[in-house]
Amino acid sequence: MSGDAPAWRRHLRPSLRDLEAYHVPSVDALARLHANECPEPWPAEVMADIAERVAAIDLGRYPDRTPLRLRARLAERHGCRPEEVILGNGSDEIIALLLAVLSGDGERPSAILLPSPTFVMYELSAHAIGLQIIKVPLDQDLELDGPAMRRALRERAPALVFLARPNNPTSSLWDRRLIMELVAEHPATVFVIDEAYIAYAPGESLWRADRPDNYVHMGTLSKVGLAAIRVGYCVAPPALAAALEQVRPPYNIPEPSAVIAEAILERHGDVQAAMIERTIANRDRLAAILGRLPGARLFPARANIVLARLDPPAAAPRLREALAARGILIKDVSGLAGLSGCVRVSVGTAAELDLLEAALADLDPAIWSER
Ligand SMILES: Cc1ncc(COP(=O)(O)O)c(C=O)c1O
């Protein structure tokens, strides 16, 4: 092989040239406070029930093209028809499918509008297929900037808007009235309301079975104790749901994932609710721990995430590094627009928070130095 670029490289999508792949450190850690998971373990009796059901799977057979029983359960939960529920291999796949079906024609690629900062996969997936990306910065309080959103919607007429509520990485819960007004004012734009973290803001869901027909609800089981099985979904108006089904890869939900998701939804919802409740309680403790850092400003936390702005800003990467050296992973988000000096810390179990508390009590004071 020569050192020259291979001849096929000219066929690569130009938009991939400056695209960085999604990166999450995969290291053994004592405390995983960097990935916004539900940290609480499932009790042994639930794991035993799941093991029995998984053992009964005929591994040589394809699963349903889409798992009908799981689809029906989710439809029941949302008071809609099963055909309106589209299942994805995580909501990451739903994002890619929505972008694919609303991407416009080859000559005029669609524009998508994103508040900034928000979940990175919206931009990464849109960029990968060459869509235009319009970013509207959040305001000082990390709330949606209503006038700027209205201007961008009016002037750029995007095909899609993604609104994560609560948002990642800010943990903020954007104004419900403003969002519903924007949806009503722009019927030619599809609004995807991503409620990945809504379990941590009880009573705040925007979902209504009689929603407008440019409204898509997106959800995932990843943040409620089931990140390992990769099940995400959306509820879309019938015509859009039909288009999504045209591009969805068949068999995208592995049978073990479908079986586990069904078991949890049908039989272990009370256990799951208790895990979420404990996580919400531990969020208060995490906020109290971070609030004791010198000069830290905390933002209101409505997901299983606490965002803290450190002073001086250079303390953010130093703190991440110092904690990583002790096996505690957090995310330094200080490089994102508007988040100078910020770290994002996911809620951990009580034991993980004990470790964090002990590590913070023992930090090298140089972390807070101005230089
Ligand atoms: C706002 C938001 N939406 C969607 C996802 C993707 O979730 P999954 O693909 O695990 O369903 C994430 C993951 O962090 C997220 O933060």
Side-chain angles (χ1 to χ4, degrees):
M1 244 190 359
S2 82
D4 296 341
W8 54 262
R9 267 192 74 86
R10 67 196 154 93
H11 302 300
L12 268 183
R13 279 196 93 93
S15 60
L16 297 180
R17 262 183 229 133
D18 55 348
L19 192 64
E20 263 187 51
Y22 186 76
H23 176 72
V24 183
S26 78
V27 289
D28 282 339
L30 298 175
R32 291 174 55 90
L33 308 180
H34 67 308
N36 309 342
E37 300 144 337
C38 177
E40 298 293 321
W42 290 96
E45 54 289 6
V46 174
M47 293 306 287
D49 179 36
I50 285 173
E52 198 178 306
R53 283 152 193 274
V54 170
I57 293 172
D58 184 348
L59 288 180
R61 307 289 178 188
Y62 281 106
D64 275 344
R65 189 181 173 282
T66 194
L68 297 176
R69 195 160 146 182
L70 176 56
R71 206 180 186 194
R73 284 288 156 274
L74 289 167
E76 233 169 65
R77 176 186 269 199
H78 289 89
C80 66
R81 287 183 294 125
E83 304 77 60
E84 295 170 276
V85 177
I86 306 300
L87 291 163
N89 195 270
S91 42
D92 285 345
E93 186 176 47
I94 297 289
I95 294 166
L97 296 178
L98 283 163
L99 291 165
V101 301
L102 292 167
S103 56
D105 61 36
E107 263 147 53
R108 273 186 317 138
S110 298
I112 72 155
L113 189 154
L114 303 174
S116 172
T118 189
F119 179 44
V120 293
M121 283 305 293
Y122 308 138
E123 178 174 358
L124 209 64
S125 297
H127 192 69
I129 60 169
L131 303 189
Q132 299 172 48
I133 295 157
I134 308 156
K135 292 196 199 173
V136 175
L138 298 178
D139 73 13
Q140 294 275 346
D141 298 319
L142 307 180
E143 176 54 69
L144 283 182
D145 181 337
M149 289 290 291
R150 282 200 162 87
R151 205 174 318 118
L153 279 157
R154 208 173 44 240
E155 290 172 5
R156 307 290 298 275
L160 260 172
V161 180
F162 285 96
L163 298 175
R165 188 175 183 276
N167 186 40
N168 169 21
T170 59
S171 209
S172 45
L173 191 74
W174 295 328
D175 187 66
R176 110 184 354 243
R177 217 173 97 193
L178 171 62
I179 292 175
M180 293 317 291
E181 282 174 7
L182 296 178
V183 175
E185 288 163 16
H186 297 278
T189 293
V190 172
F191 287 77
V192 180
I193 311 300
D194 181 353
E195 296 198 346
Y197 299 99
I198 202 66
Y200 300 99
E204 289 289 351
S205 176
L206 289 186
W207 167 254
R208 289 191 335 244
D210 64 343
R211 77 285 185 192
D213 79 354
N214 59 331
Y215 182 108
V216 172
H217 168 85
M218 192 159 74
T220 179
L221 303 187
S222 293
K223 308 301 178 183
V224 287
L226 294 169
I229 67 172
R230 307 300 297 133
V231 174
Y233 66 96
C234 72
V235 185
L240 181 54
L244 291 167
E245 274 301 274
Q246 286 176 314
V247 297
R248 185 181 62 79
Y251 318 120
N252 62 335
I253 307 292
E255 185 69 3
S257 296
V259 163
I260 294 169
E262 284 162 18
I264 299 295
L265 294 180
E266 290 171 10
R267 301 151 57 85
H268 303 297
D270 50 342
V271 173
Q272 189 180 39
M275 288 160 59
I276 290 165
E277 234 173 81
R278 277 200 296 283
T279 305
I280 292 176
N282 280 334
R283 176 174 66 196
D284 292 342
R285 181 173 167 214
L286 173 61
I289 292 171
L290 295 174
R292 289 196 288 275
L293 293 175
R297 171 184 174 197
L298 300 193
F299 293 90
R302 304 305 301 273
N304 55 345
I305 300 171
V306 177
L307 184 75
R309 178 165 274 149
L310 308 181
D311 185 23
R318 292 180 196 148
L319 181 65
R320 188 207 64 78
E321 219 171 286
L323 291 175
R326 293 162 180 257
I328 300 171
L329 304 183
I330 66 168
K331 190 150 168 106
D332 166 21
V333 290
S334 59
L336 298 179
L339 297 190
S340 160
C342 288
V343 289
R344 186 194 75 182
V345 187
S346 312
V347 180
T349 58
E352 287 175 317
L353 296 186
D354 288 345
L355 284 174
L356 176 69
E357 200 166 15
L360 292 178
D362 192 30
L363 282 179
D364 179 350
I367 283 183
W368 311 108
S369 85
E370 291 292 339
R371 305 180 331 109

